[in-house]
Amino acid sequence: MNEMTDTHDVTDRARQLVEAARQLFVAGVMSHSGHANLSVRLDAERFLLTPGFVRDLRPEQLATVSLDGRVLAGELQSVSTEIISMHSTIYRARPQVGAVIHTHSPAATAFAVAHRPLPCRTEPMLRFGQAEDVPVVAWGPRGSDVSVRGMAEVLERRPTTAAVLLANHGLLVFGPDSAATAHLVVAIEESAEAEIAATALGGAVDFPVGALEDVRAAIARVSA
């Protein structure tokens, strides 16, 4: 890419990431603190990362970071430097991933605190890319070698998962772009809420065999 095209592409991805952050607040899936961090891949070695806050975020506030942890442009709050490795681990393990979102969404975080995988029992999870249980990564201090190794091990063991629960911490979701990843965050949080609510009615029930194939066929018919 020439320099002008590259600059335009970076600007476009930054705007998409800011819009994804806004949509998370609109959807009501954020924690009381509004804590989250979002990133979008620029190329094989760089990604844009939110600076330590996401409420009322602007594109020019994003920092450009290398996969080896260097801040190449912009600024990060000290609290955000701890999570660079969390995002870079995903980008290294999944070359097809274009965006990563971490939140403390309350219902999903409840499953993380309970160390319980979140079952895939709602259709939006099927439609937005998580057609399997969301696995739990064992706890480690944020950004530590223990945490990063745990994430890498789960990603290797679960090559098709698009999300993980970070034990005693929160939710980490990854997808092809910012918008798709934000949609999956919302779908997972809604599913976690439904799963918890269903316990009062005797417990949630699994999909019938073949549900994923049926949903994909329905999507294909509409898209044709």
Side-chain angles (χ1 to χ4, degrees):
M1 271 188 271
N2 60 43
E3 185 176 350
M4 183 176 296
T5 302
D6 186 62
T7 300
H8 175 77
D9 190 49
V10 169
T11 300
D12 189 48
R13 295 188 192 193
R15 287 173 177 164
Q16 291 172 14
L17 192 66
V18 168
E19 177 58 19
R22 190 186 74 83
Q23 289 297 332
L24 294 178
F25 282 102
V26 170
V29 300
M30 302 295 277
S31 61
H32 294 301
S33 68
H35 174 81
N37 44 77
L38 298 81
S39 68
V40 62
R41 190 196 292 270
L42 295 177
D43 52 40
E45 300 297 332
R46 302 176 303 152
F47 58 94
L48 294 176
L49 180 65
T50 51
F53 55 88
V54 294
R55 198 187 298 272
D56 300 321
L57 186 66
R58 300 190 307 275
E60 61 270 22
Q61 294 173 312
L62 300 175
T64 303
V65 181
S66 67
L67 261 64
D68 61 8
R70 291 174 294 127
V71 178
L72 304 175
E75 297 181 359
L76 292 177
Q77 294 179 0
S78 58
V79 69
S80 287
T81 59
E82 298 175 355
I83 55 89
I84 291 175
S85 59
M86 181 168 66
H87 289 252
S88 61
T89 296
I90 302 297
Y91 289 126
R92 284 196 180 98
R94 300 286 175 82
Q96 75 278 18
V97 163
V100 178
I101 298 178
H102 166 58
T103 71
H104 293 172
S105 302
T109 299
F111 279 82
V113 171
H115 294 206
R116 290 186 56 183
L118 173 63
C120 176
R121 291 187 177 123
T122 61
E123 189 167 327
M125 282 182 65
L126 292 180
R127 287 183 173 271
F128 291 115
Q130 185 63 23
E132 59 188 278
D133 294 357
V134 181
V136 179
V137 175
W139 183 83
R142 187 173 69 171
S144 68
D145 289 344
V146 173
S147 177
V148 168
R149 281 199 307 272
M151 287 171 51
E153 289 169 1
V154 170
L155 291 174
E156 183 176 3
R157 196 165 64 245
R158 298 287 296 276
T160 57
T161 190
V164 295
L165 295 165
L166 305 174
N168 302 94
H169 189 162
L171 173 66
L172 189 65
V173 180
F174 28 98
D177 55 48
S178 301
T181 306
H183 285 317
L184 183 53
V185 170
V186 175
I188 287 173
E189 178 63 5
E190 288 180 341
S191 188
E193 291 175 348
E195 191 79 21
I196 293 169
T199 60
L201 304 174
V205 177
D206 291 337
F207 281 112
V209 175
L212 176 58
E213 291 72 18
D214 291 342
V215 168
R216 285 176 173 168
I219 293 172
R221 285 195 298 273
V222 173
S223 302

